[in-house]
């Protein structure tokens, strides 16, 4: 199962950002007490990816350990205020490139692609692509045309997915353990410290207060907002469960 590219416009402390790749490499270091011996020492590397072509990672391409959207603004430690994209699942091969309809969904061949923002590049695909997949109205690979992405308004296009083969344990509910799909957008030197230190430590309810809207407003959330789902009670083979959306 794969999902279309999700686009994110990670404007960090301003519209103009740069894409920075962090990785590790090995250096040969001579052992001080024996010049004939060498050790391989790890070294952190940092590289600014300056063009769209250098920031388009296909399905089987290696990726840097860290991908960072960096601004020119600094935190108090003099580090670039940034956000990091961490992809946790990849879609598998979807169509061979020799296929005549490959271009109708060629967004799926990229794990991550970063492009310069353009008003005319709002979607990685189109519903009209299914009408004529041999001549798609939107071909995502055309977005990647080697433009400069240093100090620009950037858009990240991320493909996520996994393979799920149905099995008996999917009845009555599909197994979720071990099936993770998505990505994280994580602050990376954006703050001066972990912002969660300012969070409340705990919330305590007495047993008779849990279902009280006055004490716990989340209980009645579905009644006050239109976007909260109203999930019906679920029954299967003698098992009954009532969902409470919190």
């Amino acid at each position: 199962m794969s999902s279309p590219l999700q686009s994110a416009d990670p404007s960090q402390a301003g519209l103009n950002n740069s894409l920075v790749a962090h990785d590790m490499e090995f250096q040969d270091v001579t052992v001080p007490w024996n010049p004939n011996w060498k050790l391989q020492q790890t070294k952190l590397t940092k590289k600014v990816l300056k063009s769209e072509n250098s920031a388009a990672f296909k399905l089987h391409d290696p990726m840097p350990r860290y991908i960072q959207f960096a601004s020119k603004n600094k935190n108090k430690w003099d580090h670039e205020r940034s956000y990091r994209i961490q992809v946790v699942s990849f879609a598998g091969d979807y169509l061979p490139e020799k296929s005549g309809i490959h271009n109708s969904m060629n967004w799926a061949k990229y794990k991550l692609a970063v492009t310069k923002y353009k008003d005319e590049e709002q979607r990685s695909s189109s519903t009209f692509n299914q009408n004529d997949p041999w001549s798609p109205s939107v071909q995502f690979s055309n977005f990647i045309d080697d433009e400069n992405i240093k100090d620009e308004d950037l858009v990240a296009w991320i493909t996520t997915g996994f393979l799920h083969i149905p099995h008996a344990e999917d009845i009555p509910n599909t197994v979720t353990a071990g099936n993770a799909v998505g990505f994280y957008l994580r602050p990376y030197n954006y703050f001066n410290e972990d912002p969660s230190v300012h969070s409340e430590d705990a919330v305590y309810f007495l047993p008779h207060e849990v279902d009280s809207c006055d004490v716990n407003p989340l209980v009645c959330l579905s009644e006050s907002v239109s976007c909260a789902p109203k999930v019906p009670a679920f029954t299967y083979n003698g098992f009954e469960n009532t969902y409470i959306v919190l």
Side-chain angles (χ1 to χ4, degrees):
M1 179 173 66
S2 62
S3 62
L5 260 69
Q6 306 297 315
S7 63
D9 190 354
S11 300
Q12 309 311 322
L15 288 177
N16 292 353
N17 298 158
S18 295
L19 190 68
V20 181
H22 294 273
D23 216 327
M24 303 291 293
E25 66 178 24
F26 293 98
Q27 284 185 322
D28 286 341
V29 178
T30 301
V31 176
W33 57 88
N34 189 332
N36 296 320
W37 292 353
K38 291 185 181 297
L39 294 175
Q40 285 66 48
Q41 181 171 294
T42 55
K43 176 186 177 182
L44 179 65
T45 62
K46 178 180 179 180
K47 181 181 179 181
V48 178
L49 305 180
K50 298 180 180 180
S51 69
E52 291 180 339
N53 285 27
S54 66
F57 300 97
K58 293 186 178 180
L59 183 64
H60 299 293
D61 288 348
M63 282 188 65
R65 310 284 183 92
Y66 277 42
I67 293 287
Q68 166 194 357
F69 286 81
S71 72
K72 291 183 177 180
N73 294 314
K74 305 290 185 68
N75 64 10
K76 76 175 186 179
W77 312 107
D78 202 35
H79 293 298
E80 299 163 328
R81 297 183 64 200
S82 312
Y83 262 74
R84 171 193 173 199
I85 284 186
Q86 181 179 352
V87 183
V88 297
S89 62
F90 302 123
D93 291 312
Y94 67 108
L95 280 175
E97 293 201 30
K98 65 181 181 180
S99 169
I101 63 174
H102 173 271
N103 286 330
S104 65
M105 52 180 297
N106 66 12
W107 47 263
K109 71 178 182 180
Y110 297 97
K111 292 180 287 190
L112 169 68
V114 178
T115 62
K116 180 180 176 180
Y117 175 82
K118 293 180 181 178
D119 288 336
E120 63 272 22
E121 295 178 354
Q122 295 290 328
R123 300 287 186 273
S124 61
S125 186
S126 167
T127 55
F128 298 109
N129 282 13
Q130 63 185 341
N131 298 338
D132 187 3
W134 292 270
S135 301
S137 58
V138 176
Q139 184 174 326
F140 176 75
S141 58
N142 290 339
F143 294 5
I144 304 167
D145 51 6
D146 212 29
E147 286 197 74
N148 173 62
I149 58 171
K150 187 175 185 295
D151 297 327
E152 297 285 353
D153 187 3
L154 303 182
V155 179
W157 306 85
I158 307 159
T159 304
T160 62
F162 64 93
L163 175 66
H164 175 74
I165 301 175
H167 48 91
E169 288 77 15
D170 287 331
I171 301 171
N173 293 317
T174 299
V175 176
T176 57
N179 291 338
V181 61
F183 65 93
Y184 294 104
L185 187 61
R186 304 176 60 179
Y188 188 78
N189 293 320
Y190 190 85
F191 301 101
N192 294 321
E193 60 188 3
D194 180 4
S196 69
V197 299
H198 303 292
S199 300
E200 296 291 341
D201 182 48
V203 178
Y204 176 72
F205 295 115
L206 295 174
H208 68 277
E209 295 175 330
V210 173
D211 297 326
S212 170
C213 295
D214 294 333
V215 178
N216 182 13
L218 291 178
V219 173
C220 303
L221 182 64
S222 60
E223 300 175 5
S224 58
V225 296
S226 60
C227 62
K230 295 179 174 60
V231 186
F234 172 71
T235 301
Y236 174 77
N237 198 25
F239 172 80
E240 294 184 2
N241 184 40
T242 301
Y243 291 95
I244 299 177
V245 179
L246 299 178

